[in-house]
Amino acid sequence: MRKYKVISMLFMALLIVTACAEEPDTTNEEGTNENETEAEGGDLVVDLASDPVSLDPHAANDGNSLYVMNAMYDTLVALDTDLELQPALAESFEQIEDTVWEAQIREGVTFHDGSELNAEVVKANLDRVMDPDIGSPLAFLYDMIDTVEVTDEYTVEITTAYPFSALPLHLAHPGGHIITLESIEADYEAVENGEEPFTSVNENPVGTGYFKYEDRSHGENITLVKNEDYWGEEAKVDSVTFKVVPEDLTRIAELETGEADINYPVNADDIAQIDGNEGTHVKQSESSNLTYVGMNTEQEPFDDPRIRRAIAMAIDNELIIDGVTDGVALPAEGPLAPTVFGHSDELTPLEYDLDEAKQLLDEAGYGDGFTATIATNDRTTSDIAEVVQAQLSEIGINLEVEMMEKGAYLDRTADGETDMFVGSWGTVTLDADYGLYPMFHSENAGAPGNRSFFSNDEVDDLLEQARQTIDEDERLDLYREAQQIIIDEAPIVPIYHSVLLAGLQDEVDGFYQYPSSFPFLRDVTLEED
C-alpha cells in the first residue's frame, strides 16, 4: 500500500513550519540481526555510474550531482523520511500573506569554512539562482518570486508574484541548497574575469551539510568527510567516497568483493545476482520518476503531432518493462507517478495500435517511413532504445541508437541536437508543478527540463493557472487537463515509473532513498559482527 502523503495538502491553508526538532527526523529502515551491532565511524564507499556535472547547487540538476551535493548542503526546509516538511536552516517558514512568506533563519549555524549563516546569505543564494546573467538551469524553481528582503539579521521575507502554495517544496529542492556568501562573491568575481559561471563554486564547494568536501579526482572519485560541527544530528560514518564506475559489471563486482558498500543504480536484470550473492542485497524503493522516449518537436518530421502519435502508438511499454526491467516497474500512462500530487487515473493514454500508427504516418506523408537517431547514455537507456528500435521498424521507422557519455548526452539534448532520446525525470518535490512545468512549459525548453522543445499555448496557460491557484481540487483539474493534452500531442512517450534499486552490502544499515532517487546518508552505519 502506498505510504506517500499528498504533500501539497499541507499548503492549502496558512502554513507554518516550526522547529520542533533540530532537523528532519529519519527512520531506520534497515534492521540489524541479533549477532550484529551498529558501529559508528568507518569509511563508506558509494559507486555511481557517472561523474557529477557540478558540485555547485545552482548549476546542476542531474542525479549524480544531486546525490553528492545532498550530503554537503542544507536547504531552508527539508522532507523527512515520512515525506513531511520539517525545519532545516529555517527554524520556521510562515505564509504571512497570500504572496508573502517569512523565514526565520536558524542562529548559530556555521559553514564548513567557519563563516556564519544569516539572512543576508540566504538572500544572496536566492538572488543568485534567479539571476539571468548567471543562467542557472534551476531558475525555473523560483521564477514566481518577485523579491527577497532581509528584515533583520536572521529574518528573510519572500514575496511572490502570485499565491504559490508549493513554494516550501521548491525551497526543499536541492536547487535551494545554501552556499556561503564568500563563495557567491568569488564566483561573480571569476565571471567578471572571464570564467564561466559556477566554475569557482564547483572547484571549492562549501556548505553547511553533515558531510564536507575534502577532495576530488575528476572522473574518478569525490571524498567527503564528517562535519564535526554540524548544527543538527551528525553523520554516523567518518567519510563517504563517491566513486565513478561507469561499467555495470564492475560496480557489481566491487559490491560483491566489498570494495564498495553501496552501488547505485542497479539494473533490474542484476537483482538476482546481487541478492544471490552472500553478503549483498538490493533495496527496492518506490519512486517519483518517469522514464520516457522524447522527441525533438522542432525537428522534422517530429514537428508533426501525427508522427509523434504514430510513434507513441507503435511502442508497447509493457514489452519494454518486461524486457528491460524484468517487470520491476510501473507502466506509465502519463507524466506523473502515483507518488506525485496531481497524478490522475482518469487520463486516456494512446493505446498500442500498429494499424492506426501506420495510418497516421501515411496521413503525414511518411507512409514509407523514415530514418532517425535516438540518443542514450547508459545500459538501461540503450536497452530501452533497442526495444523501441525493433518496435518502430514494424511501421517503417529505422532508428540508429547513439550511445554517448552522460555529460555529452545532457549537452546535446539540452541544445536540441538529437532527433529522439531516452530520458528520465524525477518529480523531486512530489508536486505536479515540478513534474510538468519544467518538462512541458515552453519557457523551459532545453536544459531546465523541456528537452523535447514542446510548445503549446494551452498547456502553458493551464500550468500557469495551476501555479497561481490555491484551491486543491481546481489545481488537480488543471493538471489533469494539461496532462491529457500532453498525452494527445505526444512530445514524449511515457514508458514507466521506475522502482529505485540500490545494491547494498548487508553490513550497511540506515540507508534511505527518497522517491526522487536521492540517497540520505546521514544515518548510515556499517555493522560489525
Side-chain angles (χ1 to χ4, degrees), residues 96-213:
I96 58 177
E97 297 178 24
D98 283 350
T99 59
V100 182
W101 299 75
E102 183 180 88
Q104 191 67 38
I105 308 306
R106 189 179 298 276
E107 298 184 31
V109 175
T110 58
F111 286 90
H112 300 152
D113 64 357
S115 60
E116 294 187 4
L117 173 73
N118 56 31
E120 182 185 5
V121 176
V122 172
K123 172 178 167 55
N125 273 266
L126 290 174
D127 286 347
R128 180 185 188 240
V129 75
M130 295 186 296
D131 185 350
D133 292 334
I134 294 297
S136 170
L138 294 136
F140 68 89
L141 282 164
Y142 309 109
D143 61 7
M144 75 295 297
I145 294 177
D146 268 347
T147 60
V148 182
E149 300 295 336
V150 174
T151 58
D152 64 41
E153 186 176 4
Y154 292 101
T155 307
V156 173
E157 193 171 272
I158 300 172
T159 302
T160 57
Y162 45 82
F164 184 63
S165 60
L167 181 62
L169 289 169
H170 281 224
L171 290 170
H173 183 282
H177 280 148
I178 303 298
I179 62 177
T180 66
L181 183 60
E182 290 78 4
S183 296
I184 293 173
E185 291 173 343
D187 192 64
Y188 273 109
E189 183 178 349
V191 171
E192 289 177 1
N193 292 329
E195 291 190 29
E196 289 296 316
F198 314 118
T199 302
S200 174
V201 177
N202 179 44
E203 293 175 349
N204 184 33
V206 181
T208 62
Y210 48 87
F211 285 112
K212 59 184 179 181
Y213 176 81

Side-chain angles (χ1 to χ4, degrees), residues 47 130 149 158 444 458 483 499 508 517:
D47 278 3
M130 295 186 296
E149 300 295 336
I158 300 172
N444 294 317
E458 190 173 1
Q483 288 177 84
V499 172
V508 172
S517 79

Side-chain angles (χ1 to χ4, degrees), residues 191-429:
V191 171
E192 289 177 1
N193 292 329
E195 291 190 29
E196 289 296 316
F198 314 118
T199 302
S200 174
V201 177
N202 179 44
E203 293 175 349
N204 184 33
V206 181
T208 62
Y210 48 87
F211 285 112
K212 59 184 179 181
Y213 176 81
E214 182 171 78
D215 59 49
R216 178 180 190 179
S217 177
H218 285 273
E220 294 184 12
N221 57 67
I222 297 169
T223 299
L224 313 180
V225 295
K226 179 178 178 178
N227 179 9
E228 302 284 357
D229 299 316
Y230 190 53
W231 57 269
E233 185 177 343
E234 294 180 5
K236 304 296 190 297
V237 296
D238 297 323
S239 72
V240 55
T241 297
F242 295 92
K243 292 177 60 179
V244 180
V245 185
E247 300 81 12
D248 293 347
L249 295 178
T250 305
R251 289 202 307 276
I252 293 172
E254 291 199 355
L255 183 70
E256 292 180 343
T257 61
E259 292 181 65
D261 301 298
I262 298 172
N263 172 6
Y264 185 76
V266 167
N267 287 293
D269 51 6
D270 295 324
I271 294 175
Q273 178 179 344
I274 295 173
D275 280 345
N277 178 68
E278 184 177 355
T280 62
H281 67 280
V282 174
K283 181 177 175 62
Q284 301 189 23
S285 308
E286 202 168 3
S287 87
S288 60
N289 295 349
L290 170 72
T291 294
Y292 65 93
V293 172
M295 291 166 272
N296 186 341
T297 61
E298 292 186 338
Q299 296 252 41
E300 293 184 358
F302 306 102
D303 57 345
D304 188 332
R306 293 173 297 183
I307 296 293
R308 303 195 300 265
R309 286 172 62 87
I311 289 172
M313 298 178 81
I315 295 177
D316 183 349
N317 64 352
E318 294 275 8
L319 185 63
I320 295 174
I321 291 169
D322 289 340
V324 176
T325 79
D326 201 25
V328 186
L330 180 68
E333 295 187 343
L336 300 180
T339 54
V340 177
F341 173 84
H343 168 82
S344 175
D345 293 322
E346 300 175 12
L347 301 174
T348 303
L350 295 176
E351 301 288 352
Y352 177 71
D353 189 331
L354 286 181
D355 290 337
E356 179 66 16
K358 290 175 182 176
Q359 183 176 334
L360 286 169
L361 285 181
D362 192 54
E363 290 175 4
Y366 286 87
D368 295 330
F370 58 89
T371 299
T373 59
I374 183 167
T376 68
N377 63 80
D378 60 17
R379 175 177 158 197
T380 299
T381 55
S382 181
D383 288 347
I384 291 170
E386 288 175 4
V387 178
V388 171
Q389 180 186 50
Q391 292 181 334
L392 295 190
S393 68
E394 297 186 36
I395 59 171
I397 298 176
N398 299 310
L399 286 187
E400 178 186 347
V401 179
E402 292 187 336
M403 176 72 166
M404 58 191 72
E405 180 269 330
K406 184 66 174 283
Y409 167 91
L410 291 172
D411 288 343
R412 288 186 58 185
T413 54
D415 294 338
E417 297 176 354
T418 57
D419 295 332
M420 298 174 65
F421 59 97
V422 182
S424 63
W425 184 263
T427 303
V428 178
T429 64

Side-chain angles (χ1 to χ4, degrees), residues 5-11 79 83 85 169 341 429-430:
K5 302 182 179 180
V6 180
I7 295 178
S8 288
M9 296 173 68
L10 297 173
F11 311 115
L79 292 173
L83 303 182
L85 275 175
L169 289 169
F341 173 84
T429 64
L430 303 184

Side-chain angles (χ1 to χ4, degrees), residues 478-490:
L478 291 166
Y479 286 133
R480 185 183 305 111
E481 187 175 351
Q483 288 177 84
Q484 190 61 62
I485 295 172
I486 291 165
I487 290 170
D488 294 340
E489 289 289 306

